[in-house]
Amino acid sequence: MESVVFYIFATAAVLGGVMCILQRSPVASALWLMSTMFSLAALYVLLGAELIGAFQVLVYVGAVLVLFLFVVMLLNLGQRSNDLRGPSGIAAALVIAGLLGIELLAVWRYTPSRLAAEVAQGPAMLDASAAFPAGQAMRQAAAHNVVQSVAEPLFRTYLIPFEITSVLLLAALVGAVVLAKRRI
Amino acid sequence: MNPELKGYMLLSVIKMLVVFTVVLVGVALLTLLERKVSAWMQNRRGPNRVGWGGLLQPAADGLKNILKEETFPAEANRLLFLLAPAMSFIPALMLSAVIPFAAPLRLDFDFTAGPLGRFVHHGLMPMVVADVPVGFLFVLAISSMGVYGIALAGWASNSKYSLLGGLRATAQMISYEVAMGMSLIPVLLLSGNVSFSSIILEQSRTLWFVLPLFLSFFIFLVSGFAETNRLPFDLPEAESELIAGYHSEYSAMKFSMFFIAEYANVVTVSAMVATLFFGGWDVPFTRADESGVWYWVILSHLMFFAKTFFWIFFIMWIRWTLPRFRYDQLMALGWKFLLPVALAYIMVISGAIYALEHLAGVTSPLTRAMALTVVSLVLGILVFRVLDRGVIVSGSQPRRQRLEPDLLRNPLGGRTDGVRVAS
């Protein structure tokens, strides 16, 4: 039952990704990307990560892609955006696709057992078992408090990395304002 | 399939059918209600020819819309033009699945229905189609998808008025979504969870959240108006500027779908306000409504219906009372007033909860809620009397000397002092 649902959404996600790059109209591309994001959210829910799924829809489908659509509509890009379809564009695409393929191969070599062994041997910055005691996430999700199971490790164990990430985002925001505003 | 799963599926199917039928019929009746309310406010009668007192008017409208000719504007993107009404219609209807409409019902059955096999259910049945653990985050996520329908309708119509309406809607909904999400964080702080059932239980244990979180309620309500594109924020379809905005080019049933989506969103926002800030199905001053006995369930549903209906009426009331905002005022209200107030309110509420729990040693949730009520009262007075300075309460007034009533009545008669309108 679950695997049937998984294959439906996985197919939709891959199809959306492929159609996104095959479409000529930028609006259609943005819509296919939206369907990919939505299918990914469904996959997160299947994994038991309802909160991540909700945020995926809220942030990517609801905000980021709407902004994409907004910009595309404002610029009103017509049918003439075929600049990348020349020989140089194809060459660049092949190089990038090759690099991505090599990366995927590297990931594919990472079996779960190898990953676990490396985590166990590597220098432990933080004790992972303190953040996620065995079965805690499942128990909390079963108690229908999906927020707590994400919030506890995020704001107790990994507080400093979390805050540093937010400073990174702030830097991007400040940079955008500096670029957009002529006079501050 | 085991009998328990079958019992669960049976109940889910029944709940789905009932909820979607009721919502669709209710939305149709709301169009009639809106016309009746507007007629009442403008001292008219409203539609009263079809059926008893005009009760069949929605059916007549629906029949007319199905039989009318479907038009396509020239050079329009045909596929997206067809897809757009559905994309605003589907998210609007999906939302009615997650809001609990009554107290959980204790239901025990165990029967065998011929070839279908045995159906079993024991214990409390939540009166909601899908009791999602992500609660109001689901509502925020799905309602943020409604903007696609409007944006695409504006773009695919190939008309400048539609495009302007679509662009306005996109900017407006993104802006107010931020304030709306921020206004719900204090609710999460107080209840400790995002799921609707736990928020309602917390409210029935303490106070309705409208008291301890008054400013959140206000910001949520204002953002809700903007999210549903209702007056005073209906800039995307402002008929004096944009004809009908994003649905200018739509006719027949496709137009009707936008209309249904708008009313379904009104129902959702009203139900959200009732659930998050007015206790949902909670019957005040008693906790017997959680027992699961059938008459308490019916009573709790009536409470939910009354609260939701009041907010639906309130939204219509505002529509026929207030004039439309100007676009810059709308953006200023969202970004310069609602968002900073919501952020500051999160700081104040979390600080107050920390102080109460760790410094004052308050453990009872009821005492905590009462203390927060006092804090919110002070803050409410501060915001609306001191900080506001004509931003919301007198939103569309120009910043110049106000006209005096005498001058309006008698423009040639000169001024008389002492009758200034209090600001």
Side-chain angles (χ1 to χ4, degrees):
Chain A
M1 179 72 182
E2 218 161 66
S3 59
V4 173
V5 181
F6 168 79
Y7 281 115
I8 291 173
F9 282 111
T11 317
V14 174
L15 183 76
V18 171
M19 291 305 277
C20 171
I21 54 173
L22 289 183
Q23 290 292 318
R24 275 167 188 251
S25 150
V27 172
S29 279
L31 284 178
W32 280 109
L33 192 58
M34 182 199 98
S35 92
T36 301
M37 296 293 182
F38 198 80
S39 311
L40 286 183
L43 294 182
Y44 292 146
V45 173
L46 275 183
L47 283 172
E50 283 101 346
L51 191 70
I52 312 291
F55 278 124
Q56 170 87 9
V57 177
L58 192 61
V59 174
Y60 286 98
V61 181
V64 174
L65 276 169
V66 175
L67 272 182
F68 279 14
L69 208 62
F70 188 68
V71 172
V72 168
M73 277 161 55
L74 262 185
L75 297 177
N76 207 7
L77 295 171
Q79 312 295 325
R80 289 180 294 106
S81 57
N82 296 339
D83 306 334
L84 285 175
R85 294 185 187 233
S88 59
I90 290 172
L94 282 177
V95 169
I96 294 172
L99 280 176
L100 280 176
I102 293 167
E103 282 175 23
L104 273 178
L105 277 180
V107 174
W108 178 61
R109 288 173 61 86
Y110 259 104
T111 53
S113 55
R114 181 174 161 182
L115 194 65
E118 280 191 12
V119 168
Q121 286 164 7
M125 291 196 300
L126 292 158
D127 190 6
S129 63
F132 296 104
Q136 188 206 24
M138 296 303 271
R139 244 181 294 125
Q140 277 181 347
H144 273 241
N145 200 341
V146 287
V147 184
Q148 208 174 0
S149 50
V150 173
E152 290 252 322
L154 197 61
F155 289 104
R156 287 192 199 281
T157 321
Y158 299 108
L159 179 63
I160 305 263
F162 175 73
E163 290 294 336
I164 292 173
T165 316
S166 69
V167 171
L168 189 71
L169 289 176
L170 184 68
L173 208 65
V174 171
V177 172
V178 168
L179 284 177
K181 281 250 178 197
R182 296 229 174 84
R183 278 185 308 135
I184 298 168
Chain B
M1 253 201 268
N2 55 341
E4 280 80 18
L5 184 62
K6 263 194 231 169
Y8 173 78
M9 296 277 258
L10 177 72
L11 288 177
S12 292
V13 169
I14 292 173
K15 281 190 282 191
M16 270 181 223
L17 289 176
V18 170
V19 167
F20 286 111
T21 315
V22 167
V23 167
L24 276 178
V25 174
V27 161
L29 287 176
L30 281 188
T31 61
L32 175 68
L33 181 75
E34 172 116 79
R35 294 168 73 177
K36 283 286 190 190
V37 167
S38 75
W40 176 48
M41 291 194 180
Q42 296 165 348
N43 211 1
R44 302 183 276 118
R45 281 185 192 282
N48 61 353
R49 288 285 171 251
V50 193
W52 180 73
L55 207 59
L56 287 178
Q57 185 68 38
D61 287 345
L63 197 65
K64 183 182 81 176
N65 272 330
I66 288 173
L67 294 178
K68 271 179 98 166
E69 184 194 356
E70 305 254 350
T71 55
F72 284 96
E75 304 272 319
N77 187 325
R78 197 138 172 158
L79 181 68
L80 290 182
F81 188 78
L82 274 174
L83 204 61
M87 286 189 76
S88 72
F89 180 76
I90 293 170
L93 282 185
M94 265 169 89
L95 292 176
S96 53
V98 296
I99 297 175
F101 50 88
L105 174 67
R106 185 170 297 284
L107 195 63
D108 298 297
F109 60 78
D110 184 351
F111 65 90
T112 310
L116 288 174
R118 187 157 160 249
F119 293 85
V120 173
H121 188 274
H122 289 293
L124 290 173
M125 175 186 72
M127 290 297 249
V128 52
V129 174
D131 192 12
V132 287
V134 285
F136 63 71
L137 289 176
F138 180 89
V139 175
L140 290 183
I142 298 297
S143 69
S144 71
M145 288 183 65
V147 69
Y148 281 100
I150 294 178
L152 286 179
W155 187 79
S157 299
N158 191 33
S159 134
K160 52 181 171 293
Y161 297 116
S162 299
L163 184 65
L164 281 173
L167 288 177
R168 279 184 175 187
T170 319
Q172 171 180 336
M173 285 168 92
I174 291 182
S175 307
Y176 277 79
E177 226 164 64
V178 182
M180 192 181 224
M182 290 294 165
S183 74
L184 290 182
I185 290 180
V187 174
L188 173 60
L189 284 173
L190 211 54
S191 67
N193 200 345
V194 285
S195 83
F196 283 117
S197 43
S198 60
I199 289 172
I200 293 171
L201 279 183
E202 179 72 22
Q203 293 185 77
S204 77
R205 220 151 50 102
T206 60
L207 297 172
W208 290 357
F209 283 167
V210 64
L211 294 173
L213 302 175
F214 178 73
L215 281 182
S216 275
F217 156 70
F218 180 78
I219 295 167
F220 184 82
L221 190 65
V222 174
S223 325
F225 275 100
E227 286 280 304
T228 49
N229 295 322
R230 297 278 299 185
L231 265 165
F233 303 123
D234 70 337
L235 276 303
E237 45 185 303
E239 65 267 20
S240 52
E241 307 154 30
L242 298 179
I243 308 177
Y246 60 91
H247 55 55
S248 297
E249 307 290 340
Y250 280 88
S251 60
M253 208 56 206
K254 294 203 290 297
F255 164 75
S256 209
M257 277 166 95
F258 281 118
F259 213 58
I260 294 170
E262 179 179 328
Y263 282 95
N265 280 326
V266 167
V267 173
T268 309
V269 166
S270 309
M272 284 274 281
V273 171
T275 306
L276 294 174
F277 296 102
F278 288 84
W281 45 256
D282 177 41
V283 184
F285 311 118
T286 174
R287 295 201 61 194
D289 50 347
E290 291 153 31
S291 58
V293 191
W294 62 270
Y295 48 85
W296 277 111
V297 173
I298 292 174
L299 192 63
S300 69
H301 176 66
L302 289 179
M303 284 303 290
F304 173 77
F305 181 78
K307 289 168 191 172
T308 307
F309 192 78
F310 173 77
W311 288 108
I312 291 173
F313 176 72
F314 184 83
I315 289 175
M316 293 181 176
W317 183 6
I318 293 284
R319 169 165 181 181
W320 297 101
T321 312
L322 287 188
R324 183 178 295 131
F325 271 50
R326 224 170 47 217
Y327 198 67
D328 59 323
Q329 290 172 330
L330 172 91
M331 283 294 158
L333 178 66
W335 288 107
K336 293 185 186 162
F337 181 79
L338 291 182
L339 185 60
V341 168
L343 283 173
Y345 197 59
I346 294 172
M347 301 284 286
V348 171
I349 289 293
S350 48
I353 290 177
Y354 181 82
L356 284 172
E357 282 186 356
H358 294 268
L359 305 180
V362 175
T363 48
S364 142
L366 186 60
T367 326
R368 190 178 73 172
M370 283 176 169
L372 286 177
T373 307
V374 177
V375 171
S376 287
L377 192 68
V378 175
L379 278 179
I381 292 170
L382 196 70
V383 166
F384 291 113
R385 300 306 296 268
V386 184
L387 282 177
D388 178 28
R389 297 200 181 273
V391 179
I392 342 168
V393 177
S394 46
S396 46
Q397 265 177 357
R399 299 202 172 209
R400 57 180 165 81
Q401 192 73 38
R402 280 147 212 241
L403 287 172
E404 289 161 15
D406 269 12
L407 198 66
L408 286 175
R409 278 189 217 109
N410 185 11
L412 299 174
R415 298 182 159 210
T416 45
D417 282 322
V419 284
R420 294 187 100 82
V421 187
S423 54

